[in-house]
Amino acid sequence: MKSHDEPVEIEHLTRLNEYGPDDLFIACASFEDRCVSSVLKAGSSYRVRFSIIIVIEEPFYKQQVDTNLFKLQSELTKRTSEGVFVIRCQRGDPGEGITQLKNIWPRCKPKDVDEPFITVDISGFTKIYLLQLLHFLVAEQSLGLPRLLHTTQTYSPTKLTRGVEQITTVPNFFGTLSFEKQTLLILLLGFEPERSLTVWKHFNPAKTIALITNPPRSRNTEYLEYARKNNSYLISQPDVEVRDIPPDDPYAVRNVLEEIYHEVRDSFNMVIGPFGTKPQTIGVFLFCLEHPKAQVVYSFPVNYTRSYLRRKPGHTLLLPLAPIIKG
């Protein structure tokens, strides 16, 4: 596949392997309709040896999750030659899902680990599951970054979640914090102000850098205004600096974090809270892959608002394959 350095909209999903079926397709069945979009774009020639559907149980949206699971199973069964696996796990326990993945891995791992053909649709995953999945594939299995697909959504900006259930350090992203350094908290902000503000209050950092999506997707300034308004209390605090990051370019996000690292590495521990877009979370993963001393923290919401059910799938993006690394 041709390398590219910016997100590319796709209308048809093709194979990575020109000589036969791909090795693996991984998706997540969620309550969001966009989780089936990329599979529906698979052409008649798309074939894969194994497919894995991870189902994150969500009791309040069980009907929507089950409907999307059925659609994913139906479409992937047509295109999968050796087996479709379904992994069910709880929203608050990503380790449970990764353990199940490890158990089936000997059966569905790529034939050639030096040239794997893997596609991951990140659209339905929560950010903490996404970080754990990529850590397993890239860090533990040394397979390199898979092809990443992400379907956006069309909607009016609105609150995504309510409340905060717990704050945790993301497993495998504990980092190495020095007692001799102060804490720099980097928060990727979006439409979930309670979650990011709770993390900020918990850490009481000496310095905070708030990263806000700008320019927003489709240059819709309504999204930027909503994000700034909802996070206005946090970004107005002393020692909080605001910087811009793009919505769908993981390597650009990685580069912003790299610039911050070079500014503060001698005097601050870096703690990162990913509450922006999922492609931005990929950027956090790329940065931590190079800088394992950074810590990634996450706060679980009490529940998701029903605004998700009013959203329609937008464009399906192929995320950048070729990194543009600064410095």
Side-chain angles (χ1 to χ4, degrees):
M1 174 177 287
K2 183 179 180 181
S3 295
H4 57 282
D5 55 24
E6 60 183 23
V8 175
E9 182 181 352
I10 63 167
E11 293 294 338
H12 303 286
L13 181 63
T14 58
R15 295 196 313 266
L16 291 165
N17 182 8
E18 59 180 311
Y19 301 109
D22 286 352
D23 291 305
L24 188 59
F25 185 96
I26 303 175
C28 177
S30 74
F31 51 80
E32 299 176 86
D33 289 343
R34 62 172 169 169
C35 72
V36 302
S37 293
S38 65
V39 172
L40 294 176
K41 295 180 186 296
S44 58
S45 63
Y46 183 77
R47 292 290 183 272
V48 64
R49 293 174 56 231
F50 293 98
S51 295
I52 297 174
I53 305 171
I54 297 178
V55 184
I56 301 178
E57 304 284 6
E58 192 64 52
F60 292 107
Y61 301 102
K62 185 178 186 304
Q63 179 181 345
Q64 289 83 4
V65 172
D66 289 345
T67 297
N68 288 331
L69 172 61
F70 177 78
K71 291 178 181 177
L72 281 171
Q73 283 182 295
S74 298
E75 293 298 323
L76 286 172
T77 297
K78 301 174 188 175
R79 298 169 172 83
T80 306
S81 60
E82 298 183 42
V84 177
F85 296 93
V86 176
I87 293 175
R88 290 185 174 271
C89 45
Q90 299 300 310
R91 176 166 58 89
D93 188 6
E96 174 190 0
I98 300 303
T99 296
Q100 292 182 57
L101 176 58
K102 290 179 179 179
N103 290 338
I104 65 173
W105 192 250
R107 298 169 60 187
C108 62
K109 64 182 181 182
K111 289 182 177 180
D112 184 355
V113 296
D114 293 324
E115 192 177 7
F117 300 104
I118 301 174
T119 298
V120 178
D121 181 358
I122 71 172
S123 308
F125 285 98
T126 64
K127 298 177 185 74
I128 192 170
Y129 267 91
L130 193 53
L131 288 167
Q132 291 293 87
L133 174 62
L134 289 176
H135 186 274
F136 173 74
L137 295 174
V138 179
E140 294 184 36
Q141 300 301 316
S142 301
L143 294 173
L145 204 65
R147 174 169 64 174
L148 298 172
L149 304 176
H150 177 60
T151 299
T152 62
Q153 294 183 111
T154 58
Y155 59 95
S156 297
T158 186
K159 194 174 182 179
L160 299 182
T161 58
R162 294 190 183 93
V164 176
E165 195 170 56
Q166 71 177 74
I167 298 173
T168 186
T169 303
V170 179
N172 300 310
F173 295 85
F174 295 107
T176 306
L177 304 186
S178 170
F179 291 109
E180 299 176 357
K181 296 180 179 180
Q182 294 180 303
T183 296
L184 167 67
L185 179 62
I186 302 172
L187 292 171
L188 288 78
L189 300 181
F191 300 162
E192 301 175 275
E194 290 173 300
R195 296 175 68 186
S196 50
L197 186 60
T198 300
V199 168
W200 179 75
K201 290 180 177 179
H202 174 81
F203 278 91
N204 189 27
K207 180 178 175 63
T208 302
I209 296 179
L211 302 179
I212 290 186
T213 300
N214 186 32
R217 290 184 183 128
S218 303
R219 303 284 173 169
N220 188 337
T221 57
E222 185 184 5
Y223 289 87
L224 176 59
E225 292 166 2
Y226 188 84
R228 286 185 177 275
K229 179 180 178 181
N230 273 268
N231 293 284
S232 60
Y233 176 80
L234 174 60
I235 63 180
S236 67
Q237 297 303 304
D239 298 316
V240 175
E241 177 188 347
V242 178
R243 300 190 189 184
D244 296 334
I245 50 172
D248 299 309
D249 188 340
Y251 287 104
V253 173
R254 175 260 174 213
N255 287 340
V256 170
L257 293 172
E258 185 73 23
E259 289 172 357
I260 295 172
Y261 169 76
H262 284 291
E263 294 172 12
V264 306
R265 60 182 175 183
D266 294 327
S267 52
F268 287 93
N269 294 308
M270 287 182 66
V271 179
I272 307 172
F275 301 106
T277 69
K278 291 170 186 177
Q280 289 170 355
T281 302
I282 304 296
V284 172
F285 172 79
L286 293 173
F287 173 78
C288 291
L289 200 60
E290 299 175 89
H291 301 285
K293 289 186 178 182
Q295 184 179 97
V296 182
V297 295
Y298 189 80
S299 57
F300 289 95
V302 173
N303 56 49
Y304 293 87
T305 67
R306 297 189 70 83
S307 66
Y308 276 103
L309 304 184
R310 298 191 295 270
R311 299 171 177 218
K312 302 299 180 184
H315 302 302
T316 296
L317 302 175
L318 177 61
L319 300 185
L321 294 177
I324 302 300
I325 304 298
K326 293 183 180 178

